[in-house]
Amino acid sequence: MTFAQTTAIEGLGEIADRYDAFLIDQFGVLRDGLGPYPGAAETLVKLKDAGKRIIILSNSGKRSAENDRRLVDLGFVAGSWDWFLTSGEVAWQILRREGAGAAGGRRKCLLISRDGDVSPLTGLDLERTESGADADFVLLAASEGDVQPLSHYEALLAPAARRGVPCLCTNPDKVMLTKEGTAFGAGRIAELYEELGGTVRWIGKPFADIYASALDFLGQPDSTRVCAIGDSIEHDIAGAANAGLHAVLVTTGILERASDEERRRLFAEHGASPDFILPKFTW
């Protein structure tokens, strides 16, 4: 099926020679909430063996090194990508560069994460608080939408939003993949914060900071020789378009059950369509 300027392909081997570098999404392309997709690790190796530079580009609130280790633990071959870049890493670097501390004492941060993870704050001069009532800012790194209702986050965040406390969202995904299926992601919680009257700074796909970091790592290549691969039109495809990159939409992940008509509607809604559409991440 072809959508406007989108061409269907059966494997990455058909287009690999067109590009020097690939920015590849993690969840929905390489793996889901249960584990790696069949053949994904082998395809990543083939792409690397073809001489391509590869960045795993993920809207994860965790830092890069932790995600890198986890991918190897899941069975992916170490060295089959050049860098695992997360939105959490970009945000951590921004906080460090801008200075997390404030005159008059350490700022208090309300961290919203998953499974008790505090790594987004490690190494930063911040004091963690459990309350939105005394927080100086909110760091929204992950969602537990598979175990907590949205009302839980509303009660936690409303006091901060009423006080005009700024929020940094380091995972813009509004839908996440879990072992049980899909659930609302950190991006939906950030939307809720805005609905409550708060302000949010978004870090990650489709926003510019993460693409600037990726392209800087690659040495500012010709953008037409860089291809992004993802399963989200809102994040991966729109983000690639904003950065002037080519893109492949993989129809696993959050759009696995979407019809052709639904995908066309999303292309129009987000003002971006992929150059290629691929059933799954295979060579």
Side-chain angles (χ1 to χ4, degrees), residues 29-96:
V29 176
L30 301 177
R31 56 172 297 208
D32 61 13
L34 295 174
Y37 288 128
E42 292 82 357
T43 301
L44 203 58
V45 169
K46 288 182 179 179
L47 199 60
K48 188 62 181 169
D49 286 346
K52 310 304 174 181
R53 300 193 71 193
I54 297 171
I55 295 177
I56 309 299
L57 199 67
S58 176
N59 277 355
S60 167
K62 295 179 183 290
R63 294 190 63 193
S64 290
E66 186 171 344
N67 278 273
D68 198 278
R69 287 191 298 269
R70 182 170 57 182
L71 208 60
V72 173
D73 290 343
L74 285 170
F76 288 85
V77 179
S80 59
W81 59 91
D82 295 281
W83 192 23
F84 198 129
L85 176 60
T86 67
S87 48
E89 180 69 30
V90 174
W92 190 92
Q93 297 291 346
I94 288 173
L95 286 171
R96 186 183 66 169

Side-chain angles (χ1 to χ4, degrees), residues 37-240:
Y37 288 128
E42 292 82 357
T43 301
L44 203 58
V45 169
K46 288 182 179 179
L47 199 60
K48 188 62 181 169
D49 286 346
K52 310 304 174 181
R53 300 193 71 193
I54 297 171
I55 295 177
I56 309 299
L57 199 67
S58 176
N59 277 355
S60 167
K62 295 179 183 290
R63 294 190 63 193
S64 290
E66 186 171 344
N67 278 273
D68 198 278
R69 287 191 298 269
R70 182 170 57 182
L71 208 60
V72 173
D73 290 343
L74 285 170
F76 288 85
V77 179
S80 59
W81 59 91
D82 295 281
W83 192 23
F84 198 129
L85 176 60
T86 67
S87 48
E89 180 69 30
V90 174
W92 190 92
Q93 297 291 346
I94 288 173
L95 286 171
R96 186 183 66 169
R97 185 168 62 247
E98 294 181 351
R106 300 168 75 199
R107 285 198 295 171
K108 291 184 178 180
C109 173
L110 173 59
L111 173 65
I112 307 296
S113 64
R114 185 174 178 84
D115 301 326
D117 177 39
V118 297
S119 64
L121 300 183
T122 302
L124 297 175
D125 187 24
L126 295 166
E127 179 182 346
R128 188 181 181 192
T129 178
E130 302 290 342
S131 171
D134 66 351
D136 295 309
F137 80 102
V138 176
L139 183 57
L140 182 47
S143 165
E144 292 185 319
D146 49 340
V147 295
Q148 296 283 7
L150 198 59
S151 58
H152 164 79
Y153 293 103
E154 181 175 2
L156 184 62
L157 294 170
R162 284 196 296 266
R163 294 170 47 240
V165 172
C167 172
L168 185 66
C169 178
T170 64
N171 185 341
D173 288 355
K174 296 169 186 174
V175 178
M176 65 176 182
L177 298 174
T178 74
K179 292 180 180 179
E180 288 74 35
T182 59
F184 65 84
R188 177 65 190 100
I189 303 173
E191 279 188 333
L192 172 66
Y193 197 72
E194 291 180 329
E195 292 163 8
L196 293 169
T199 58
V200 177
R201 179 180 179 181
W202 299 78
I203 303 294
K205 300 176 290 185
F207 304 99
D209 288 313
I210 195 168
Y211 291 95
S213 294
L215 294 175
D216 186 60
F217 177 83
L218 293 171
Q220 298 300 328
D222 178 353
S223 62
T224 64
R225 297 288 298 178
V226 181
C227 184
I229 303 175
D231 70 316
S232 168
I233 296 165
E234 179 178 4
H235 300 107
D236 301 299
I237 306 307

